[in-house]
Amino acid sequence: MPNILKKMQTDLYDGDMDAVEAATRKAIDEGMSPKEILDDGLIMGMEAVGRDFKAGDLFIPEVLLCARAMHAGMEVLRPLLEESGVPPRGKLVIGTVAGDLHDIGKNLVSMMFQGAGFEVIDLGVDVSPEKFIEAVRAENADLLGMSALLTTTMPSMKATIDALIKAGLRDKVKVLIGGAPVTAKYAQDIGADSFASDAGAAVEAAQDLIV
Amino acid sequence: MPKQLSVSTLQPMVKMLSDEQVRAIHYATLEILSQTGVEMQDPQGRELLLEAGARESNARIKIPENLVTDAIANTPSRIPMHDRLGNLTMPLELGKVFCGSGSDTTFTLDVETGERRLATAQDVENIARLCDALDNIDFVMSMGNPSDVPPDDLYIHEFISMIRGSIKPNIYTAKNRADMEDIYRIAAAVAGSEQALREKPFFLLYAEPISPLLFPEESLQKLIFCAEKGVPAAYPPSPNTGGGGPITLAGALALGNAECLVGLIITQLIRPGTPFLYGMNTAAMDMKSAIVSYGSPEWPLGMMAQMDLARYYNLPAWSAGGASDSKVVDTQAGIEMTFSIITNFLARATLIHDVGYIEYGSTSSMEALVIADEIIREARFLSGGLDINPTTLALDAIARIRPGGGFLADDHTLDNFRTSQWIPRMIDRSRYDSWHAAGSKDMYTRANERAREILAEHQVTPLSEAAEAAIAEILAERVA
């Protein structure tokens, strides 16, 4: 592997945003293909981060720094990837469901997805089923992520899935749900595709869903 | 605005006794020493005290106040304990807190099988090696009476196993003066010379009188040996409430103080300036089982009071904590270890021994040591207090964030999370699914695995050839 990609992985692991961005530009200047930079530089670097986070060796703020650095590299690469016809990793529409104003957990999941190379459309909090449907259709999303912190707002997840079916979009998108009161059983009951108990697990579940 | 003074951090500390209470105990101690007197069975100790101005009546030695005052004034206010490589790692000074294991248990919990069995010399070395690897264990004690060596050589083997297993300072026990001489020879070989040993002591004697008021010859001779050589000693009596001491803690403290000060006076009469560690053990004797409790609230209550006495005398002090009466490493053990460690920290006890004891000090446990290491780290964090300054007040971050959006990804969090939060190692805070996927392990299981991991990996700088040669020589002499 070229040294510049090895260094990119290390800089990414260290969460050095400027270094990753600079390395991405340099790799492009040296004539490397955007796909090679993405797969062997950024994604491989992020896989090491994910592995060590799962093993308990890294802390969330450190992973977020890495995700930020990954995102900076991706911003440079994205136009070139599109030009060369490399399919994107996946597009996620995400939000906290109607009636629920809790932002922090959902933001964490958003950042983790960005760090894993996904394109993320974050609709914010208190998102109605209609707004979710509209965004899924407009963005041609691969994944829909819904978050709820309150037991009382969970039913809005089912309402959104029902609305997806009604709009004829249910087959086009995989639905991923999470949040403190959400369980795998609940996901099954309301017809979601997957449930994740934390942000790292959400990204893993998404990768399994869209392979 | 001109540069303002910073806000200083209050580091919380507990005083158990008022100045008036301290004086009341001190006066009671003087009364015990001068009017009741002690039974001094060691002729040398008896002569020393009488020559210095004590008097004898009704077979008791009665000690006047001026002997007490002079001896305290002569006792060093600090004992610079070193590791056996000559580094200053444990300066025993008021305000500092150091933790370590305990001595001489009959049993140990086998780390492989979980079985409670008689301790061996190898156990002493293994537990010393575990202590060597644990960051918050500052000194080593034997944690076992080896059952596989000749009984007369027991304490020699304990000492050898401790110094082979760890470079950390150790606190040793001995049977008599002959033991002391052999241990001293080995220690001098480790340090390189007798002078090096005096200047950078890495060993400290733990001897004690028999409460109440009895000073046996063997016990005194060990203390006298240390004073003659100028090496450190502790002489904490054990007036356990209802057993060796009165049932009331105040009386036990006055008595223990008197007994300890007799040891202190003897050392200072022989050699003024002998490093002597003040302190006593005032645990409660349980009124059903007659065990001496290492988990009762009276235990830290007495030690916290004793620290106020130590500060009155301007001396660092011996204390105890991180132990349990439970027969296994369970919730009771966790409660009792935590209770005594945190209270000792809040009282700024100088030297906390007995960490890792279960079964009221009859059994040692490596798992308990690993868990206590975590509790000590937590207690130290809490005792540090709360810094209030521009960085910790975080006004910029508070002004910057979006309402409801949170601080998780804010630069202030990224810059400060490592220092602002205590980060667990043995305590488990993982989410249920991760914990379940990792085998649903409870604290005991995790501590057992950690102990075994350390034993498999941790290397200790071996003793010098000269030290091993001295050990071989002494063991050969003992056989002959």
Side-chain angles (χ1 to χ4, degrees):
Chain A
M1 181 184 303
N3 280 335
I4 186 165
L5 294 184
K6 271 191 205 152
K7 179 159 184 316
M8 189 184 290
Q9 289 178 19
T10 319
D11 290 337
L12 185 65
Y13 193 93
D14 295 340
D16 190 336
M17 183 166 85
D18 295 340
V20 170
E21 190 183 333
T24 309
R25 291 190 198 285
K26 186 154 180 271
I28 294 167
D29 291 346
E30 284 179 12
M32 253 172 245
S33 81
K35 186 161 168 29
E36 189 185 359
I37 300 168
L38 177 67
D39 290 348
D40 297 346
L42 298 177
I43 289 179
M44 227 183 245
M46 240 7 236
E47 275 169 3
V49 174
R51 197 170 51 238
D52 288 358
F53 178 58
K54 207 174 165 189
D57 297 334
L58 290 176
F59 296 92
I60 290 172
E62 291 170 325
V63 177
L64 292 182
L65 271 180
C66 301
R68 206 184 271 185
M70 164 88 182
H71 193 63
M74 275 304 286
E75 287 301 297
V76 177
L77 276 185
R78 200 182 308 277
L80 299 173
L81 287 167
E82 276 166 21
E83 252 170 53
S84 54
V86 177
R89 193 116 201 262
K91 196 187 255 191
L92 167 79
V93 163
I94 190 169
T96 303
V97 298
D100 202 325
L101 300 178
H102 293 94
D103 214 359
I104 297 173
K106 182 265 301 166
N107 289 350
L108 176 59
V109 175
S110 285
M111 285 181 275
M112 291 294 212
F113 270 92
Q114 282 177 352
F118 286 81
E119 195 179 335
V120 177
I121 315 295
D122 189 339
L123 304 179
V125 297
D126 193 16
V127 180
S128 65
E130 296 71 35
K131 274 196 224 158
F132 275 123
I133 303 294
E134 199 185 303
V136 166
R137 197 193 320 264
E139 299 288 347
N140 196 21
D142 306 289
L143 291 158
L144 170 62
M146 287 186 282
S147 166
L149 184 75
L150 308 173
T151 313
T152 49
T153 55
M154 277 165 59
S156 191
M157 292 178 163
K158 181 172 191 310
T160 306
I161 291 174
D162 292 345
L164 276 176
I165 296 168
K166 216 166 159 192
L169 289 170
R170 184 65 189 89
D171 299 341
K172 306 246 187 299
V173 70
K174 301 287 188 187
V175 179
L176 190 61
I177 64 171
V182 179
T183 60
K185 168 90 168 47
Y186 183 74
Q188 207 177 10
D189 290 349
I190 67 169
D193 294 294
S194 194
F195 145 82
S197 65
D198 62 52
V203 176
E204 273 180 26
Q207 278 160 347
D208 290 345
L209 285 177
I210 62 171
V211 159
Chain B
M1 185 165 65
K3 187 169 162 45
Q4 299 296 313
L5 296 176
S6 55
V7 178
S8 58
T9 303
L10 172 74
Q11 298 188 317
M13 205 187 133
V14 173
K15 226 170 114 60
M16 184 55 68
L17 302 175
S18 68
D19 294 351
E20 194 185 359
Q21 285 177 300
V22 168
R23 279 197 302 274
I25 292 177
H26 176 67
Y27 296 148
T29 293
L30 295 178
E31 173 76 14
I32 294 167
L33 289 173
S34 63
Q35 301 300 319
T36 308
V38 301
E39 183 172 332
M40 177 60 64
Q41 292 184 342
D42 178 57
Q44 193 183 353
R46 184 175 157 275
E47 283 311 308
L48 275 166
L49 289 169
L50 291 177
E51 270 169 39
R55 59 195 171 81
E56 188 165 19
S57 68
N58 299 330
R60 295 284 180 90
I61 302 292
K62 301 183 177 175
I63 301 168
E65 177 172 357
N66 67 304
L67 257 70
V68 177
T69 316
D70 289 354
I72 290 172
N74 281 331
T75 307
S77 64
R78 67 189 293 266
I79 306 177
M81 294 296 295
H82 290 66
D83 67 18
R84 69 161 160 81
L85 306 179
N87 306 299
L88 176 67
T89 55
M90 197 167 77
L92 300 176
E93 299 164 359
L94 279 175
K96 292 193 164 63
V97 180
F98 298 100
C99 301
S101 51
S103 72
D104 300 300
T105 61
T106 306
F107 305 100
T108 192
L109 276 196
D110 188 305
V111 75
E112 297 296 331
T113 64
E115 177 202 1
R116 170 183 177 269
R117 58 162 175 74
L118 291 173
T120 65
Q122 189 62 51
D123 290 328
V124 175
E125 184 174 333
N126 287 349
I127 300 176
R129 200 148 54 82
L130 178 72
C131 290
D132 196 81
L134 294 173
D135 294 342
N136 299 284
I137 299 298
D138 303 298
F139 64 90
V140 173
M141 292 181 74
S142 70
M143 290 294 260
N145 276 154
S147 58
D148 55 344
V149 300
D152 279 346
D153 303 340
L154 186 93
Y155 297 104
I156 309 300
H157 281 280
E158 284 185 6
F159 188 77
I160 295 167
S161 294
M162 284 194 290
I163 59 175
R164 279 183 181 151
S166 176
I167 64 164
K168 292 184 179 178
N170 70 72
I171 300 177
Y172 63 100
T173 46
K175 185 174 187 308
N176 49 28
R177 194 174 174 111
D179 273 10
M180 293 298 294
E181 278 163 9
D182 285 352
I183 288 170
Y184 180 79
R185 267 170 70 196
I186 296 171
V190 171
S193 69
E194 289 189 50
Q195 192 187 336
L197 187 57
R198 257 195 309 279
E199 283 175 8
K200 298 186 171 186
F202 68 91
F203 73 149
L204 185 149
L205 169 72
Y206 169 24
E208 52 186 2
I210 296 176
S211 296
L213 300 172
L214 183 62
F215 292 78
E217 185 174 343
E218 272 193 344
S219 149
L220 244 293
Q221 280 300 312
K222 291 185 279 184
L223 192 61
I224 287 171
F225 181 89
C226 285
E228 286 169 359
K229 298 293 184 189
V231 293
Y235 201 63
S238 297
N240 305 303
T241 57
I247 189 76
T248 46
L249 203 42
L253 285 162
L255 175 65
N257 194 32
E259 292 164 346
C260 174
L261 290 177
V262 171
L264 180 143
I265 292 167
I266 296 275
T267 58
Q268 303 308 310
L269 286 175
I270 291 172
R271 180 196 282 251
T274 297
F276 180 90
L277 186 62
Y278 169 82
M280 66 202 87
N281 302 314
T282 55
M285 178 178 276
D286 184 78
M287 292 288 115
K288 283 184 178 166
S289 62
I291 61 104
V292 173
S293 170
Y294 282 53
S296 67
E298 302 92 307
W299 202 39
L301 188 60
M303 288 180 288
M304 293 168 95
Q306 160 194 201
M307 282 316 299
D308 291 327
L309 287 165
R311 277 182 282 271
Y312 178 68
Y313 299 136
N314 192 30
L315 295 173
W318 169 269
S319 190
S324 173
D325 296 331
S326 181
K327 270 53 75 179
V328 290
V329 182
D330 62 353
T331 308
Q332 180 183 335
I335 292 169
E336 292 174 341
M337 289 196 291
T338 305
F339 199 87
S340 54
I341 287 171
I342 190 73
T343 44
N344 263 295
F345 262 88
L346 290 175
R348 300 292 188 280
T350 324
L351 183 140
I352 306 169
H353 88 301
D354 287 349
V355 174
Y357 269 2
I358 57 168
E359 196 197 335
Y360 39 87
S362 293
T363 298
S364 58
S365 160
M366 298 206 198
E367 293 85 359
L369 264 168
V370 170
I371 293 168
D373 184 71
E374 182 89 331
I375 302 170
I376 293 165
R377 216 161 52 81
E378 209 160 347
R380 209 176 273 285
F381 181 85
L382 182 126
S383 307
L386 186 55
D387 291 335
I388 310 291
N389 59 45
T391 304
T392 63
L393 286 169
L395 293 180
D396 291 346
I398 293 168
R400 183 163 60 222
I401 50 93
R402 189 164 47 79
F407 294 88
L408 192 49
D410 193 90
D411 282 340
H412 183 264
T413 307
L414 302 176
D415 291 343
N416 295 294
F417 81 93
R418 276 185 180 280
T419 49
S420 302
Q421 291 191 343
W422 181 82
I423 295 171
R425 291 180 197 152
M426 292 308 301
I427 293 279
D428 178 84
R429 293 191 198 152
S430 61
R431 286 176 180 273
Y432 182 86
D433 291 351
S434 324
W435 174 79
H436 185 67
S440 309
K441 290 170 190 165
D442 64 6
M443 186 80 168
Y444 171 79
T445 308
R446 296 194 300 273
N448 177 272
E449 287 177 358
R450 181 71 192 125
R452 288 202 268 179
E453 204 175 276
I454 289 171
L455 291 181
E457 288 168 5
H458 184 67
Q459 305 283 329
V460 174
T461 310
L463 292 171
S464 66
E465 277 178 30
E468 285 292 355
I471 290 170
E473 202 177 288
I474 280 161
L475 290 179
E477 283 171 19
R478 283 194 162 242
V479 175

